[in-house]
Amino acid sequence: VAHMRLHAVDAAVQRHMCTALFNMTELDDDNAIMAVDAGAIESVAAAMIAHRLDAGVQGAACSALDSITNDDLHNQTLAGNANAIEAAVAAMIAQPHDEGVQRSARRAVTSMTTDNLRNQTQAGNAGAYEAEVAAMISHPLSDMMQCQAFRVLVCLTDGNEQNQSRAGNAGA
């Protein structure tokens, strides 16, 4: 995490560090706790914002966010506070034809918003519904993309009447 801060302008470093965070936290809760305590969520969100057009950074960062926030309400809250949700939605919007970024961003959005009404609303405000509809249109023959988009829409609208309405208005 310290290297991410030290080399914030270097996209290659950011991509490699996000990949390392994913690898270290995916199956190790203790590593995830240490990474979060060191500011990993904030650093990953900052990398996404600084390198918003770099598909490699976006995909790796979303994978790291997915790993760190999955099934963890505290880390979901930190992600919401760090604008990581908006960054993941922005990645979906900026890279509509890149299936890797779309896949990683969807998983991150799902992990950051599952059972979290505040983060669901935040994702909706960031344009998640419009991004999902655009991705479904861009990848009409990809069963995986269609299925993932459906899962994200279900996650974002479950128990959230405002988001249900927004999803309908976006064409979902």
Side-chain angles (χ1 to χ4, degrees), residues 91-102:
M92 290 168 44
I93 293 167
Q95 307 287 338
H97 302 293
D98 188 315
E99 284 197 37
V101 172
Q102 291 292 318

Side-chain angles (χ1 to χ4, degrees), residues 90-161:
M92 290 168 44
I93 293 167
Q95 307 287 338
H97 302 293
D98 188 315
E99 284 197 37
V101 172
Q102 291 292 318
R103 232 184 348 265
S104 296
R106 283 191 172 118
R107 276 185 258 168
V109 168
T110 301
S111 290
M112 291 186 286
T113 60
T114 298
D115 297 325
N116 188 318
L117 217 52
R118 178 180 169 263
N119 286 4
Q120 289 171 351
T121 300
Q122 208 168 331
N125 290 341
Y129 303 108
E130 294 80 5
E132 288 301 331
V133 171
M136 292 173 82
I137 291 168
S138 294
H139 303 278
L141 302 178
S142 173
D143 290 342
M144 181 187 64
M145 294 291 283
Q146 298 294 318
C147 184
Q148 283 186 332
F150 178 73
R151 274 192 233 131
V152 172
L153 290 170
V154 167
C155 174
L156 293 176
T157 58
D158 186 36
N160 190 323
E161 288 183 29

Side-chain angles (χ1 to χ4, degrees), residues 34-47:
M34 286 188 287
V36 168
D37 288 346
I41 292 172
E42 296 81 0
S43 293
V44 170

Side-chain angles (χ1 to χ4, degrees), residues 41-42 45-46 48-49 65 77-89 112 118 122:
I41 292 172
E42 296 81 0
M48 293 181 75
I49 292 165
L65 288 171
T77 301
L78 291 175
N81 293 342
N83 296 320
I85 296 165
E86 290 84 352
V89 172
M112 291 186 286
R118 178 180 169 263
Q122 208 168 331

